[in-house]
Amino acid sequence: MRDYGFLFDTTYTNLPKQFFIKSKIGTIAEPKIVVFNDELSEMIGLKFSDSSSTEKSNIFSGNDLPEGVDLFSQAYAGHQFGHFTMLGDGRAHVWGEHITPSGIRLDIQFKGSGRTPYSRNGDGKAALGPMLREYIISESLFNLGISTTRSLAVVSTGEPIMREMVLPGAILTRVASSHIRVGTFEFAAAQSDKNVIKSLIEYTIKRHYPSLINKDNKELTLIRLVMEKQVDLIVHWMRVGFIHGVMNTDNMTISGETIDYGPCAFMDTYDPNKVFSSIDHGRRYAYDNQPKVAQWNLARLAESILLGIESNIEKVLPVAEGIINEFSVVYKKKWLAMMGSKLGLFFLRKDDEKLIYELLDWMEKNNADFTKTFRDLSNATYPHSKIFDDNQFRQWFDRWQNRLKYNDRSLQSAISLMKSVNPNIIPRNHIVDQVLKSAESGDFKPLSDLLIAIKEPYKERTSISKYEDLPKPNEQILHTYCGT
Ligand code: AMP
Ligand code: MG
C-alpha cells in the first residue's frame, strides 16, 4: 500500500484488559466514498490529495486498512437518560492513535463498521443519513470555533440497514483527541478493583492533562479541569443555539470535545425548552437544561474518580462536592460574559444581566430567530425585519444603544466583536434534512454545497444566501431521530 502518512502509536491498549477488546470487521462488497475531508486530512498530516475514489472507498470502508491499524473496541458504561447501563463500542472500531507531524495524538475510529462484543442486540451498523448529519454538524461546530471530534470520511456500504424503514448503510471515520468518556470512568469504577480506576486516571492525566503528572491532589484537580472544559464547551453550544440531544454520560468526553452527534440540531426560533430528539419526552436534554445536565454528568465523573483516591474519603468528598457545585457559579459567569459579547459588551455592568434576559424574553415571546436576531443586531443599527417593528423591542434597543456608550472601546470594535461571535450561517435543521434526503437518493450536490456554505460562518456576505433563510412553516423539522 502507498504511504498515506499514517503514523500509529497506540497506547490505549496498554490499559488493563477490561478497557477494550481487539475486534475484526467484515468486507464491504460495494463501498463508495461519499464525502472526504481534504482539509482535515491535510491538517493531520495525511496524504490523500492524489488518491482515487476507489482507494479512499477501500480504505475508509475497512477493506484495505493502512499498516499499523490494529482494530479494537472500547468498553464503557453510561447513564442514559439517568439510568446506569454497561455499554461499550457496539458499532465502533478504533484504528489506533495517529501522531500528526506536529506531534498531536489523535484517535481514528470507524462508526457503523459492524458488530462488536459490545453490540448487545444491535446490528453494529449505521445509516447514511445520521453519519452525514454527524459529518455536517461536527464540521460546522469546528468552523464556529467550538471544540469537537471531527469527521474524516463517510463511505456508503451499499448494504440495506433495517430500522423503522430500510435505509442505506454507511461508515463514518471519526477523528478525536481521544474517546475517553465520563462513561469510561463509570465503567472503571464499576470493576470493584481500585487499580483499574487508578490506571484510567493516570492514563487520562498523561494523555490530556500532563501538567498534573506528579502533582499533589491530581485526582481532584482533574475533576476541576474537566469541569472547566465542559463549562467552556456548553457556553459555546449556548452561544450558537446548538442542542446536542443525547447528553448521556457516555456521550461526554474528558477532553472537552463535542462527541456523538445523534438527534442534534441548531434551533431556529429561540425557545429555551427546545428539544429535537424524538425520544426525549421528559425534555431532559432541552437547550436550557444543557448546563444542568453537564453538571449532573460531572458529579458521576467525580464519584468514579473518588474511588481511585487513596486518602481519607471524608476529607476529599467535600472538596469534590465543592468543585461540582462551583460549576453553576463558573458557568453563570462565563455565560453572562458570552451573552455580553453577543451584544458587543466588552465587560459587564450592574444592569447588563437584566438587559440580556429582557432581550431573551422578548425573543421567546415573539418567536424570534436566535441566529438572525443576534446577527441583525451586530450592525448596531435598528434592524429592518418586520419582527422588530415592535414597541417593546424599540425600548430595549434604545437602552442597549445607551449601554454601548459605556464600552471602553469604539463602536466599531463592538461591531467586530459581535460579528465574531454571532454567526450568520448555521446548518439549519430543515436544510440538513433536505441535504440528507437528497443524499439518500444518490444526489450529493446539496451536501457539498452546504459544506462550502458553512465553512466561514462569521463572514460578512454581500448577498443573502439561501442558507440564512428561516424555514417556512411547512419546512420546519420538529424532531430528529437517533437513527441508530
Ligand atoms: P449512542 O446513542 O449512539 O451514543 O449509542 C449508545 C450505545 O448504543 C453505545 O454503546 C453504542 O455503541 C450502542 N449502539 C448504538 N447503535 C448501535 C447499533 N446499531 N448496534 C450496536 N450497538 C449500537
Ligand atoms: Mg454514544
Side-chain angles (χ1 to χ4, degrees), residues 417-434:
L417 172 64
M418 287 189 276
K419 289 188 176 174
S420 71
V421 294
N422 296 325
N424 57 15
I425 293 208
I426 48 154
R428 288 185 182 273
N429 207 21
H430 67 293
I431 301 267
V432 173
D433 197 67
Q434 288 162 15

Side-chain angles (χ1 to χ4, degrees), residues 173-189:
T173 304
R174 174 157 78 184
V175 175
S177 73
S178 89
H179 285 86
I180 307 172
R181 308 148 189 265
V182 170
T184 316
F185 278 81
E186 291 182 282
F187 169 84

Side-chain angles (χ1 to χ4, degrees), residues 112-256:
S113 40
R115 283 182 58 80
T116 79
Y118 307 110
S119 292
R120 296 173 292 159
N121 296 322
D123 59 4
K125 295 180 178 171
L128 180 64
M131 294 307 100
L132 290 178
R133 178 181 290 274
E134 171 149 350
Y135 191 108
I136 296 165
I137 312 285
S138 61
E139 279 311 289
S140 169
L141 256 63
F142 175 79
N143 294 328
L144 286 160
I146 303 177
S147 183
T148 179
T149 61
R150 294 189 70 185
S151 306
L152 181 60
V154 175
V155 165
S156 66
T157 59
E159 294 172 359
I161 305 292
M162 305 304 166
R163 295 293 181 262
E164 272 165 31
M165 49 190 143
V166 179
L167 297 169
I171 298 173
L172 170 90
T173 304
R174 174 157 78 184
V175 175
S177 73
S178 89
H179 285 86
I180 307 172
R181 308 148 189 265
V182 170
T184 316
F185 278 81
E186 291 182 282
F187 169 84
Q191 300 303 301
S192 350
D193 178 351
K194 214 180 182 82
N195 287 326
V196 172
I197 182 75
K198 279 172 85 169
S199 60
L200 182 64
I201 294 171
E202 292 291 332
Y203 180 79
T204 304
I205 286 178
K206 197 162 166 217
R207 187 154 173 186
H208 292 294
Y209 301 96
S211 65
L212 300 185
I213 297 173
N214 298 328
K215 288 274 159 62
D216 290 341
N217 298 321
K218 58 180 187 297
E219 295 88 352
L220 289 169
T221 316
L222 174 63
I223 300 171
R224 174 181 298 283
L225 294 184
V226 178
M227 184 269 279
E228 286 171 0
K229 282 249 157 111
Q230 286 297 334
V231 167
D232 289 338
L233 181 65
I234 310 290
V235 166
H236 273 298
W237 287 359
M238 303 304 274
R239 171 170 68 81
V240 297
F242 175 72
I243 301 171
H244 180 284
V246 245
M247 288 177 69
N248 294 331
T249 53
D250 51 304
N251 293 336
M252 184 186 259
T253 60
I254 299 301
S255 65

